[in-house]
Amino acid sequence: MPELPEVETTRRGIAPHITNQTVKQVIVREPRLRWPVPDNLDALLIGQAISEVTRRGKYILADVGSGCLLMHLGMSGNLRVLPIDTPLKKHDHVDIVFDNEQCLRYHDPRRFGSLLWVEKPVLTHPLLAKMGPEPLGGDFDGDHLYQQSRGRTGPIKNFIMDGHIVVGVGNIYANEALFLSGIRPDRAAGRVSRPRYHRLAENIKKVLSEAIKQGGTTLRDFTGAGGAPGYFKQYLRSYTRKSWPQRMCL
DNA sequence: CAACGGACCTGCCTGC
DNA sequence: TGCAGGCAGGTCCGTT
């Protein structure tokens, strides 16, 4: 479920609470995530302070100087900052414990997410090196989509969900942006016109930034017992529809 | 290289 | 009520 807006909301939620905090303990209760959690993660992190928390695609990067803790929420993951004595729930797989008696707790029922260590320079890591541009960054626009799509016969929906083309557009927002742009999701990517790609790129930006704005309203819940409800759902026009509408009623 | 299917995993929903 | 089965859904990887 976490798409880019949820990941960014998570990043913004945890960053103020863990930046400049020093790791004093690492507790791995379940290392079997998408990839195994490194068994020397404690040695790598203990005694180090988090200098900043950034994001690339759907990865959250906690910088500790010598390298980065790379976190992905998969489909069902979440990260919260909690007092260390907060009772455990099922699937609370990892705690990064800080000097201030708070911990960053990674929870992920389906274990599709990951916690990895990457050496600097971080962006040369295989998982990050071949990523497409950030949809909300300056390198992404309709021309980029248009040029990358030439000759491609697969559905445009798959195309915009391909992280090598643009990162962070998952199923829900792909549907939403295509709907707003009046483009059928099953249309061959290479057969969509340049003007439509311009409209699509703008709608991707619009949908993602609006969702991040909505996520921002729940930020106060990232510490303590609350969760992040995700108010954006109520705005979605297309996600729950089974088929492309005969007529669009906007 | 592009396209596609498989794999990973659990919670939730449906139908018997 | 219970259980089996299907589905969701990000992303890497292997195969065509």
Side-chain angles (χ1 to χ4, degrees):
Chain A
M1 173 97 92
E3 295 212 36
L4 187 140
E6 289 83 354
V7 176
E8 176 61 17
T9 299
T10 297
R11 187 194 68 78
R12 293 182 187 181
I14 65 173
H17 302 286
I18 67 173
T19 303
N20 298 324
Q21 297 299 327
T22 299
V23 178
K24 77 166 177 186
Q25 194 187 2
V26 175
I27 303 170
V28 179
R29 301 181 193 85
E30 173 56 88
R32 295 173 304 165
L33 305 184
R34 176 78 160 82
W35 294 285
V37 178
D39 54 15
N40 61 340
L41 194 59
D42 51 353
L44 292 162
L45 291 178
I46 290 172
Q48 308 256 27
I50 310 276
S51 60
E52 63 174 343
V53 183
T54 58
R55 178 184 61 75
R56 179 74 178 95
K58 293 179 185 171
Y59 288 94
I60 294 173
L61 296 91
D63 191 316
V64 300
S66 54
C68 275
L69 176 63
L70 185 65
M71 298 174 278
H72 196 290
L73 302 178
M75 297 211 17
S76 55
N78 65 58
L79 283 165
R80 283 189 300 150
V81 180
L82 302 161
I84 52 174
D85 55 1
T86 306
L88 288 172
K89 292 182 179 164
K90 198 175 178 185
H91 309 302
D92 284 343
H93 302 315
V94 178
D95 282 358
I96 311 290
V97 184
F98 298 98
D99 275 349
N100 66 352
E101 308 300 305
Q102 302 275 307
C103 72
L104 179 66
R105 184 163 288 176
Y106 178 82
H107 172 94
D108 185 4
R110 290 184 205 175
R111 292 193 273 124
F112 278 20
S114 50
L115 258 68
L116 294 172
W117 173 259
V118 292
E119 302 282 344
K120 291 187 174 177
V122 169
L123 295 182
T124 62
H125 188 277
L127 289 173
L128 303 174
K130 290 179 179 171
M131 281 186 167
E134 290 288 329
L136 299 176
D139 300 338
F140 175 72
D141 60 15
D143 281 342
H144 170 75
L145 288 180
Y146 178 75
Q147 281 157 19
Q148 294 293 312
S149 66
R150 294 307 89 186
R152 304 203 35 157
T153 58
I156 187 168
K157 182 180 161 185
N158 298 29
F159 173 68
I160 60 171
M161 288 174 66
D162 181 343
H164 304 291
I165 303 301
V166 56
V167 296
V169 181
N171 186 37
I172 294 174
Y173 296 111
N175 282 337
E176 193 67 7
L178 286 166
F179 179 83
L180 290 175
S181 307
I183 303 169
R184 296 177 57 116
D186 55 0
R187 180 106 180 140
R191 293 171 167 265
V192 173
S193 69
R194 186 192 289 268
R196 286 193 173 205
Y197 271 118
H198 277 275
R199 216 186 308 163
L200 178 60
E202 290 312 305
N203 280 318
I204 288 172
K205 288 171 191 271
K206 181 176 157 188
V207 163
L208 292 177
S209 47
E210 188 58 34
I212 289 171
K213 213 179 288 178
Q214 298 297 321
T217 66
T218 69
L219 282 183
R220 68 183 67 92
D221 293 319
F222 265 85
T223 60
Y231 292 120
F232 195 69
K233 258 187 304 215
Q234 63 203 80
Y235 295 96
L236 295 175
R237 294 192 162 95
S238 66
Y239 181 51
T240 56
R241 296 179 189 225
K242 295 256 191 273
S243 60
W244 188 249
Q246 298 292 308
R247 203 190 304 170
M248 285 195 291
C249 311
L250 292 178

